[in-house]
Amino acid sequence: MKPIRSSKFDKAVIHVEILNNKYLLVVDALTTVRYLDIETLETVNQLKANAIQTSFVNNSVAFSSDSSYFALIASGAKESKLYNTKTKKLVASVNRHQGDVSCVAIDPKNRYMFSCGEDGLTFGVDIKSGQLAFTLPRHVDTVNDIAFSKNGGWVATGSYDKNIALFNLATMTPRDRLKAHSAPVVKVQFLNKNRLLSIDKKSSAIIWNVANLKVITRLQGIHDDVTKIVTGNDDAFLFIGTKLGYVIVYDLKSYEQITMKYIKLNSPISAICFDEVNKNLLIGTEDGDLLIYDIFQDQNAIYEALTYKKYSLVQGLIDNNPLLIYTDAYVTFNTLWEKTLERAKDFIEDGDKQKATKLFENFMEIPSKRQAMQKLFEKYQDYDKFLVLVKQNKLPLAYGLAKSNSIFQETKAYLAIESQWKKSVALAQKYLLNPNNEDKVKEIFAPYR
């Protein structure tokens, strides 16, 4: 995968966010906030907070949904601060933690700024008044991450104590804790349909049902330290950024891993974001790179290759970008392949293997398709024998062969003898109404003995 656009900064990119589908909000390790034109990536405006960030895994900065407020961990990590981005004035600061501040956040409805710490405490500050409003239930160790449901009703905190705490912001009441991790929880993320994702320090990922507090499944195949996570395409995909620079992708419907090497960079991933409008994945790295990828890149190239029957080129594009199997272009390609298989079966049934082989001509350079073709011919290897048995009315042998070669049961010849069997049964039932027709019934069923 190659980026469709990119930019380079002097310091690590620690936060990327899209504003009004027009601007990119990019923050570096010096907490310099840049507003970039989303098309040209040129800086339109910037704000310097002069707070040095040293940890790029936890969220050290956060913005309100309208970008009017900006929360950050101050240099030295002893306090968190909330600023009004328009006036650049300090709204509130939290210096109550017994230890360092570990992460900050602002809820989706822009009501509260949250400050999480090594002391296991999470303070909620009212954004309008700048005053401390409440404290979330305490963890016994560092709070590593905080997440909110999309409607802002629930907040989840993941901690070094291996637990996840749920809190209802509407009723201001805690709920039971989620306990299934064997290592410190480093990431939490709400998904749609009452689901919550959590990842621990051993890279074990769990999908929870928030409604009944039960584990739905555990994701398999993460073999690297997770640094950043984001969902995309209306929560259809989960993108996981790692310390070694990989992007791993999961299907959030089947929970299967789509690819463990979707993107490979030479630097740890320190920021990740998804553009739902343009279906773009935005990545920031510790080397200061800002990279933008079109997750459905080359969909038009598939259509063009299909026009010229260059099917091996289509497969090459899909191998390079596995997410293309979720596009309409791939559906068109797959439908074409399915129809080719059906037509080939028709030719084989009609005894014309040469025409069947010719149908696969443009697919032969694709190993998986070539193997499928070979398996199809192998399955029909005894079909001529089956036809002879049917024509000779040797039905017990024909049925026996069809039982061991299930594909025969889809053929016209098999359907014909099945139809004849039903007619025979119906006819025998009529004769059975008269006890004197017993010999006639035996005669009808004789071929089936």
Side-chain angles (χ1 to χ4, degrees):
M1 287 284 291
K2 293 183 178 180
I4 56 173
R5 292 191 297 282
S6 64
S7 188
K8 183 74 174 179
F9 300 92
D10 293 334
K11 302 296 180 180
V13 175
I14 63 171
H15 184 83
V16 180
E17 191 173 323
I18 298 167
L19 299 178
N20 303 320
N21 301 315
K22 188 176 180 181
Y23 299 105
L24 287 184
L25 195 157
V26 179
V27 185
D28 66 18
L30 293 180
T31 323
T32 300
V33 182
R34 295 180 175 87
Y35 297 84
L36 309 182
D37 182 283
I38 199 167
E39 294 297 331
T40 65
L41 299 185
E42 292 182 357
T43 301
V44 178
N45 194 8
Q46 72 176 29
L47 163 68
K48 292 186 177 182
N50 296 319
I52 300 173
Q53 306 300 331
T54 56
S55 176
F56 308 140
V57 176
N58 294 357
N59 295 324
S60 53
V61 297
F63 289 82
S64 60
S65 60
D66 58 2
S67 76
S68 296
Y69 294 93
F70 170 39
L72 59 83
I73 299 176
S75 295
K78 297 304 178 186
E79 64 178 333
S80 56
K81 295 183 177 182
L82 176 68
Y83 290 92
N84 183 310
T85 53
K86 294 179 181 178
T87 64
K88 299 182 181 180
K89 290 184 177 180
L90 180 67
V91 176
S93 61
V94 178
N95 55 9
R96 295 168 172 260
H97 291 288
Q98 300 299 311
D100 291 350
V101 179
S102 53
C103 60
V104 293
I106 296 176
D107 77 285
K109 292 190 175 181
N110 308 325
R111 298 165 296 182
Y112 309 108
M113 184 269 276
F114 291 85
S115 177
C116 311
E118 290 182 341
D119 52 5
L121 289 173
T122 300
F123 298 108
V125 176
D126 185 284
I127 286 179
K128 289 184 178 179
S129 67
Q131 300 299 310
L132 179 65
F134 56 90
T135 304
L136 295 183
R138 186 170 191 165
H139 287 275
V140 297
D141 210 331
T142 304
V143 179
N144 292 316
D145 199 12
I146 182 169
F148 306 92
S149 57
K150 289 185 178 179
N151 64 6
W154 288 97
V155 56
T157 50
S159 169
Y160 219 88
D161 64 11
K162 308 175 187 178
N163 296 332
I164 300 158
L166 291 172
F167 190 83
N168 190 319
L169 285 174
T171 61
M172 287 295 169
T173 55
R175 197 168 184 200
D176 292 342
R177 300 199 173 203
L178 305 178
K179 301 177 181 180
H181 285 282
S182 61
V185 178
V186 294
K187 292 292 173 187
V188 286
Q189 171 82 43
F190 277 95
L191 310 175
N192 59 9
K193 299 179 180 178
N194 288 320
R195 295 176 298 170
L196 177 72
L197 165 71
S198 59
I199 303 177
D200 65 31
K201 202 170 179 63
K202 291 182 179 178
S203 302
S204 175
I206 298 176
I207 305 286
W208 303 83
N209 183 325
V210 178
N212 60 22
L213 306 180
K214 292 183 178 180
V215 173
I216 297 174
T217 190
R218 291 177 181 267
L219 302 183
Q220 305 298 318
I222 305 175
H223 306 294
D224 188 11
D225 292 338
V226 175
T227 56
K228 296 293 175 181
I229 58 176
V230 72
T231 59
N233 201 33
D234 297 321
D235 272 6
F237 305 129
L238 168 66
F239 299 93
I240 297 178
T242 76
K243 190 173 182 179
L244 293 178
Y246 287 101
V247 175
I248 307 169
V249 189
Y250 287 87
D251 183 325
L252 284 178
K253 292 181 180 179
S254 66
Y255 302 117
E256 296 294 325
Q257 186 182 87
I258 300 172
T259 172
M260 64 184 300
K261 297 180 180 179
Y262 184 58
I263 296 169
K264 174 63 178 83
L265 303 175
N266 295 322
S267 175
I269 292 172
S270 51
I272 195 166
C273 172
F274 192 81
D275 179 353
E276 286 288 353
V277 174
N278 299 301
K279 305 303 178 186
N280 291 340
L281 182 68
L282 293 79
I283 296 175
T285 73
E286 286 192 16
D287 282 348
D289 294 306
L290 172 64
L291 307 165
I292 303 177
Y293 297 86
D294 177 359
I295 68 166
F296 295 136
Q297 188 175 354
D298 293 326
Q299 182 174 194
N300 291 334
I302 288 181
Y303 283 123
E304 185 177 353
L306 289 175
T307 301
Y308 295 100
K309 297 183 177 180
K310 295 181 178 180
Y311 303 147
S312 60
L313 177 58
V314 172
Q315 189 62 50
L317 293 169
I318 293 168
D319 291 341
N320 183 56
N321 181 8
L323 295 191
L324 287 172
I325 65 174
Y326 296 88
T327 64
D328 291 339
Y330 178 78
V331 171
T332 302
F333 175 59
N334 196 51
T335 301
L336 175 64
W337 167 248
E338 294 294 338
K339 287 182 177 179
T340 300
L341 280 177
E342 291 305 314
R343 287 183 63 199
K345 289 178 183 178
D346 290 339
F347 281 130
I348 295 173
E349 289 180 37
D350 293 338
D352 197 338
K353 290 184 179 180
Q354 187 174 356
K355 283 187 177 179
T357 303
K358 189 169 179 59
L359 283 175
F360 294 107
E361 221 171 33
N362 295 312
F363 292 98
M364 291 301 288
E365 292 182 22
I366 305 174
S368 61
K369 305 302 184 191
R370 186 170 61 249
Q371 290 172 7
M373 181 203 73
Q374 291 169 349
K375 287 181 179 179
L376 180 65
F377 282 117
E378 287 173 6
K379 288 179 180 179
Y380 276 98
Q381 188 173 358
D382 294 328
Y383 186 66
D384 290 340
K385 182 180 177 181
F386 174 73
L387 285 179
V388 170
L389 292 173
V390 171
K391 289 176 182 178
Q392 293 178 349
N393 210 32
K394 295 180 179 180
L395 298 183
L397 293 175
Y399 273 107
L401 197 56
K403 187 176 181 180
S404 60
N405 296 273
S406 60
I407 198 169
F408 294 174
Q409 297 174 22
E410 303 170 8
T411 64
K412 296 173 186 176
Y414 183 85
L415 295 176
I417 61 174
E418 277 289 272
S419 177
Q420 184 57 46
W421 161 249
K422 291 177 182 178
K423 291 178 182 178
S424 297
V425 171
L427 183 60
Q429 287 174 334
K430 289 182 180 180
Y431 280 114
L432 282 171
L433 294 174
N434 187 338
N436 296 325
N437 290 330
E438 185 178 341
D439 291 340
K440 189 65 178 177
V441 173
K442 288 181 179 180
E443 183 182 341
I444 293 171
F445 286 131
Y448 301 98
R449 290 177 183 172

